[in-house]
Amino acid sequence: MKEKLCFVKCIDHEVPLQIDLPDKGQEFPAMLLIHGFMSAKNLDGHMLQKISLELTKNGIAAARMDLCSMGENICSREKYGMRIMIDEVKACFNYLQSLPYISEKHVGMLGHSLGGRLAFTCSTLPAKLIVTLNGAINTNVMMVPSYNKLEMQQLGYSIMHTSDGRVELIYQKFERDMKDTLNMNISNFKNPILVCIAANDPTLDPNIGLKFVKNCHMENVDSVVIEGANHTFNAKTGDYTKLNELNNQMIPWICRNIK
């Protein structure tokens, strides 16, 4: 696997994009990997890195981005919200399409958690396919993380403690952006969709994904359910058994539909 760190121009800042390429070949299909809420391309127990490795083994380039103010992205946390992140996803997708070693018409998106919501929201892009991992894909419904309401009112921000021990700030803009970007864009997406669900996810209700699959009435939707898996398919525990189980079903599906 060959690694390349790029910085993609987006409005007034740059988006870090880690591109992993297969060892053999000159032009590749590609997947844009989008992390979740208050996460980054190399967090969540290295979940996206593990997925990236499996993609490159199968001849697919994988590009992991850092969303606004996360990871190596130095954009101000005060801008953190759906609006700027939608712009970042679109900028990275278009950048991938422009690369000489990427097959322009064979670029897909994979999003975890909030990243799944972003992938569905950005389904207006000419993506070859979309994959969500425990995605907040009910994009027509408000979803705001719990925070200290009094603190937000008095300070204009709230302090959040993440599950991996970090301390982060969330501003009022996040909730405003969520409201302003409600959509049903995915209903017009005609290419393949794979909804991956961890049956024992304590963070995001598995029924969000299950209900979408059951009620969307879209013939292009497939699903995978992994029993005994949590929000990161147990990657944060250091046990990759369930993530490997997911990859064993997800990677062949991507290979069939992206090339």
Side-chain angles (χ1 to χ4, degrees):
M1 182 179 71
K2 306 169 188 175
E3 300 177 334
K4 183 177 182 181
L5 180 60
C6 305
F7 292 89
V8 180
K9 181 69 175 178
C10 178
I11 310 175
D12 60 353
H13 67 288
E14 294 179 323
V15 182
L17 187 68
Q18 174 73 50
I19 303 176
D20 297 333
L21 298 171
D23 288 322
K24 298 180 180 179
Q26 296 183 338
E27 184 179 86
F28 312 99
M31 290 293 296
L32 177 62
L33 310 186
I34 311 165
H35 66 75
F37 177 72
M38 293 291 178
S39 188
K41 65 180 183 294
N42 295 327
L43 296 182
D44 289 327
H46 307 289
M47 180 181 66
L48 294 184
Q49 290 169 285
K50 298 287 185 180
I51 293 171
S52 178
L53 178 60
E54 294 304 313
L55 287 169
T56 59
K57 287 180 181 178
N58 285 272
I60 301 170
R64 289 173 279 128
M65 62 185 296
D66 276 329
L67 294 168
C68 174
S69 76
M70 301 305 302
E72 297 177 276
N73 190 322
I74 62 172
C75 187
S76 171
R77 173 57 56 80
E78 291 177 303
K79 296 182 179 181
Y80 185 76
M82 287 292 289
R83 286 186 180 277
I84 189 67
M85 292 190 283
I86 288 168
D87 288 337
E88 290 178 332
V89 169
K90 290 180 177 179
C92 288
F93 186 94
N94 292 333
Y95 178 79
L96 280 176
Q97 284 191 311
S98 74
L99 295 174
Y101 48 84
I102 298 298
S103 179
E104 179 183 0
K105 295 183 179 180
H106 298 85
V107 179
M109 293 187 287
L110 179 153
H112 171 242
S113 193
L114 181 65
R117 191 181 189 92
L118 284 163
F120 266 36
T121 298
C122 294
S123 59
T124 52
L125 291 166
K128 184 69 174 178
L129 57 84
I130 290 176
V131 179
T132 70
L133 311 181
N134 295 327
I137 56 177
N138 50 346
T139 54
N140 62 332
V141 177
M142 282 288 290
M143 291 194 73
V144 181
S146 297
Y147 59 83
N148 186 316
K149 304 292 184 183
L150 181 60
E151 192 174 57
M152 183 71 79
Q153 183 180 4
Q154 292 178 339
L155 302 176
Y157 62 83
S158 181
I159 300 172
M160 300 199 68
H161 296 266
T162 68
S163 61
D164 53 8
R166 289 176 293 117
V167 176
E168 304 285 2
L169 300 181
I170 185 170
Y171 288 82
Q172 292 171 331
K173 177 176 171 55
F174 188 86
E175 190 164 347
R176 291 198 303 267
D177 274 16
M178 187 66 70
K179 181 179 180 180
D180 291 343
T181 57
L182 296 177
N183 69 91
M184 277 300 292
N185 294 344
I186 198 65
S187 62
N188 296 315
F189 188 75
K190 304 304 180 185
N191 289 339
I193 299 168
L194 181 64
V195 178
C196 301
I197 303 161
N200 299 88
D201 186 350
T203 304
L204 191 102
D205 186 354
N207 285 312
I208 292 174
L210 294 170
K211 286 179 180 178
F212 175 82
V213 173
K214 180 180 179 180
N215 299 325
C216 68
H217 305 298
M218 297 169 67
E219 295 182 359
N220 55 328
V221 174
D222 293 317
S223 63
V224 169
V225 178
I226 304 297
E227 299 292 339
N230 65 17
H231 194 53
T232 62
F233 296 90
N234 300 1
K236 275 190 177 181
T237 70
D239 181 351
Y240 296 107
T241 304
K242 292 300 176 180
L243 182 61
N244 292 338
E245 187 178 331
L246 171 68
N247 278 332
N248 288 339
Q249 298 184 60
M250 178 178 68
I251 300 298
W253 184 95
I254 293 174
C255 291
R256 289 194 302 269
N257 288 288
I258 202 169
K259 296 179 180 180

